[in-house]
């Protein structure tokens, strides 16, 4: 996770429950999560909410979020959790490293309908009728992700951690085929 730092699974105490952190370094204040663990819906486990993401941001100066899929309105609740997590990490000046199936601008496709909307509504109880709210919220999230890659953001980050926040897309060779990695122009070093 962080060169020279021991890592191990940890348990993070949240409000009234715990979150299993699959890999973390107390010394480096860094943690690794899959998208499913941080933003997904898992049977028998309540999804994380804003207060939970704030607690993760307080505990770790660096968060690695792996396997972010391309999202549509079929997964509006997961999209909103991602937006909420990025907001919490941005506000807390956490260094965020993300691996994704697609480039950041292609992460949200405004099509489909939330599979839970007909019965349950979205995460705040509203029925997702169209993509306007999600498009607006994701545009802000995309802007934040782009800022989190800049030298200025990294310089402001607390925790004394030197790696930069980088969006690492599938196209950079992190897929199962292990393509040769190419450095994209404007990306900061990890």
């Amino acid at each position: 996770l962080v060169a020279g730092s021991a890592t191990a699974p940890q348990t993070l105490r949240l409000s009234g429950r715990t979150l299993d952190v699959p890999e973390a370094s107390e010394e480096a204040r860094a943690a690794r999560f899959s998208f499913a663990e941080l933003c997904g819906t898992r049977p028998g486990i309540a999804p994380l909410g804003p207060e939970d993401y704030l607690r993760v941001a307080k505990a770790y100066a660096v968060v690695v979020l792996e396997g972010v899929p391309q999202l549509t309105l079929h997964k509006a609740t997961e999209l909103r959790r991602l937006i909420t997590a990025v907001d919490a990490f941005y506000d807390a000046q956490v260094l965020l490293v993300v691996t994704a199936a697609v480039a950041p601008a292609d992460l949200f496709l405004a099509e489909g309908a939330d599979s839970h909307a007909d019965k349950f509504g979205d995460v705040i109880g509203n029925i997702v009728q169209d993509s306007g709210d999600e498009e607006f919220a994701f545009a802000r999230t995309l802007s934040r992700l782009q800022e989190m890659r800049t030298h200025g953001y990294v310089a402001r980050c607390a925790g004394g951690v030197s790696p930069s926040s980088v969006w690492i897309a599938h196209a950079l060779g992190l897929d199962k085929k292990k393509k040769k990695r190419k450095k994209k122009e404007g990306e900061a070093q990890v």
Side-chain angles (χ1 to χ4, degrees):
L1 185 62
V2 177
S5 297
T7 64
Q10 290 182 353
T11 300
L12 187 61
R13 294 192 188 285
L14 304 174
S15 296
R17 62 188 172 134
T18 60
L19 172 64
D20 292 328
V21 182
E23 185 179 10
S25 169
E26 285 187 44
E27 177 186 354
R29 293 189 57 231
R32 180 186 313 262
F33 297 93
S34 71
F35 177 80
E37 292 160 340
L38 209 60
C39 302
T41 303
R42 296 172 290 155
I45 300 174
L48 300 181
E51 189 174 319
D52 302 322
Y53 295 123
L54 291 172
R55 178 66 182 103
V56 171
K58 185 176 179 180
Y60 302 108
V62 177
V63 172
V64 177
L65 180 57
E66 298 179 317
V68 178
Q70 187 171 48
L71 298 164
T72 65
L73 290 176
H74 291 292
K75 296 288 185 177
T77 52
E78 289 85 349
L79 174 68
R80 288 185 180 184
R81 287 187 205 114
L82 175 64
I83 290 167
T84 302
V86 170
D87 286 346
F89 300 152
Y90 178 86
D91 291 342
Q93 298 184 337
V94 169
L95 297 175
L96 180 61
V97 179
V98 177
T99 66
V102 295
D106 299 326
L107 192 57
F108 173 57
L109 292 178
E111 59 186 40
D114 188 337
S115 60
H116 299 290
D118 59 338
K119 295 180 183 177
F120 307 111
D122 63 20
V123 292
I124 57 173
N126 298 315
I127 302 300
V128 178
Q129 300 290 337
D130 62 50
S131 63
D133 289 345
E134 284 74 18
E135 286 179 286
F136 175 79
F138 184 74
R140 187 188 75 230
T141 298
L142 182 58
S143 175
R144 287 184 166 197
L145 287 169
Q146 290 168 338
E147 182 181 342
M148 292 169 87
R149 296 171 59 172
T150 67
H151 180 69
Y153 177 86
V154 174
R156 289 190 307 269
C157 288
V161 180
S162 61
S164 64
S165 174
V166 180
W167 186 283
I168 305 171
H170 176 80
L172 294 179
L174 293 177
D175 60 339
K176 293 178 184 175
K177 296 177 185 174
K178 297 189 179 190
K179 297 175 185 174
K180 183 178 178 181
R181 294 181 187 191
K182 295 181 182 179
K183 184 178 175 187
K184 294 271 187 176
E185 182 177 308
E187 284 184 350
Q189 293 286 322
V190 174

